[in-house]
C-alpha cells in the first residue's frame, strides 16, 4: 500500500511543488525562500517521520503571508491524497510537547470535517523576519485543505521561536500517530460518516 502524493499548485502569488511519503523516515529536502518556514518544515518532517520534498517560490518581496498559507494548503492536500480511503489508520493523534519554557498541545481527528481551533495567546512579533502570526495561517491552510479537525494550543511560553517550534513539533507528533496504521483495522471496511 503506497501512501505517497505529489501536488503542484500555481497561483498568481505562489508556485509550489510538494511530495510526501506518509510511511517515510523523516527525510526532507526543503526550499521555500522563507528561512524560518523551511526550518519548521524540516522539523515537521523529522518528527512526523513523513518524507517531504518541497520547492516553493512566491511574492515574498510583498509579504511572506501568501507563501506560508499556500504551503500549508498544499501540504494539507498532499496528506489528504496520500491517505486515500484511510483504511487501517488510527485516525486520532495527540501530543503535548515541551521546548524549554514553551509547551504546546495538539489533538487531531482525520475526520473529513475541517475545523481548526488554534490558540497562541494572541502573541505577535517577529522571529528574524518571520511574522509569528503566520503560524496560524499555515495551520489554517493545512487543516482546511486536509479536511481534518485539529486543536492546536500553546499552553506556556514567552519566546516566540520556542512557541512556534513547540506548536510545529506537537502537530508533527500528533499527525504521525493519526496517520499510522493499526494492523487490526486493515480488515475493517472504511466507513463513511462518523463513528
Amino acid at each position: 500500500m503506497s501512501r505517497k502524493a505529489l501536488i503542484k499548485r500555481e497561483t498568481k502569488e505562489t508556485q509550489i511543488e510538494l511530495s510526501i511519503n506518509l510511511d517515510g523516515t523523516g527525510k526532507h529536502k526543503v526550499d521555500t525562500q522563507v528561512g524560518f518556514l523551511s526550518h519548521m518544515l524540516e522539523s515537521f518532517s523529522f518528527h512526523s517521520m513523513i518524507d517531504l520534498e518541497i520547492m516553493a517560490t512566491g511574492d515574498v518581496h510583498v509579504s511572506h503571508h501568501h507563501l506560508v498559507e499556500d504551503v500549508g494548503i498544499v501540504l494539507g492536500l498532499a496528506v489528504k491524497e496520500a491517505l486515500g480511503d484511510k483504511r487501517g489508520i488510527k485516525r486520532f493523534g495527540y501530543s503535548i510537547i515541551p521546548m524549554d519554557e514553551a509547551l504546546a498541545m495538539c489533538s487531531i481527528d482525520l475526520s473529513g470535517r475541517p475545523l481548526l481551533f488554534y490558540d497562541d495567546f494572541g502573541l505577535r512579533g517577529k522571529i528574524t523576519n518571520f511574522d509569528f502570526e503566520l503560524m496560524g495561517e499555515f495551520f489554517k491552510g493545512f487543516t482546511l485543505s486536509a479536511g481534518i479537525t485539529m486543536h492546536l494550543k500553546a499552553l506556556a511560553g514567552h519566546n516566540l521561536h520556542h512557541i512556534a517550534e513547540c506548536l510545529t513539533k506537537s502537530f508533527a507528533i500528533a499527525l504521525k500517530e493519526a496517520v499510522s496504521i493499526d494492523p487490526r483495522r486493515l480488515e475493517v471496511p472504511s466507513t463513511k460518516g462518523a463513528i
Side-chain angles (χ1 to χ4, degrees):
M1 180 169 60
S2 175
R3 300 198 304 160
K4 300 177 182 179
L6 170 64
I7 304 289
K8 296 179 183 180
R9 183 175 187 265
E10 188 166 337
T11 69
K12 191 172 82 170
E13 292 92 9
T14 63
Q15 304 77 44
I16 300 169
E17 182 171 332
L18 181 150
S19 66
I20 62 168
N21 177 4
L22 295 181
D23 301 308
T25 58
K27 293 184 298 186
H28 49 266
K29 184 177 178 183
V30 176
D31 184 359
T32 71
Q33 293 185 289
V34 178
F36 190 73
L37 175 62
S38 293
H39 177 50
M40 291 298 96
L41 289 169
E42 289 165 355
S43 180
F44 162 78
S45 174
F46 180 82
H47 290 285
S48 68
M49 299 191 74
I50 294 173
D51 291 346
L52 171 66
E53 285 195 25
I54 178 170
M55 173 66 75
T57 59
D59 60 352
V60 294
H61 62 286
V62 174
S63 166
H64 293 167
H65 186 282
H66 294 142
L67 191 65
V68 173
E69 181 181 28
D70 287 4
V71 167
I73 289 169
V74 174
L75 181 60
L77 292 171
V79 167
K80 184 176 185 177
E81 182 176 308
L83 281 170
D85 68 0
K86 301 181 186 177
R87 184 177 295 273
I89 64 165
K90 290 185 178 177
R91 180 177 157 180
F92 297 98
Y94 176 82
S95 71
I96 297 180
I97 300 297
M99 182 172 179
D100 297 342
E101 89 296 347
L103 186 69
M105 178 278 295
C106 184
S107 185
I108 289 175
D109 177 7
L110 303 179
S111 60
R113 298 185 305 276
L115 173 73
L116 173 66
F117 178 81
Y118 177 81
D119 185 2
D120 61 10
F121 301 132
L123 293 171
R124 295 297 174 259
K126 287 192 178 288
I127 305 166
T128 314
N129 63 347
F130 182 88
D131 292 317
F132 176 74
E133 67 195 57
L134 294 180
M135 295 298 295
E137 296 301 317
F138 172 85
F139 290 118
K140 180 176 75 173
F142 175 86
T143 302
L144 297 179
S145 64
I148 70 169
T149 299
M150 180 162 75
H151 287 247
L152 182 59
K153 182 176 176 65
L155 301 175
H158 55 265
N159 181 299
L160 294 180
H161 188 140
H162 293 171
I163 294 169
E165 198 154 339
C166 218
L167 290 165
T168 300
K169 289 175 179 176
S170 185
F171 164 60
I173 298 293
L175 187 63
K176 177 175 74 171
E177 178 70 14
V179 304
S180 65
I181 299 293
D182 183 335
R184 296 169 299 175
R185 292 209 177 272
L186 286 172
E187 301 305 316
V188 178
S190 58
T191 60
K192 303 291 183 191
I195 289 186

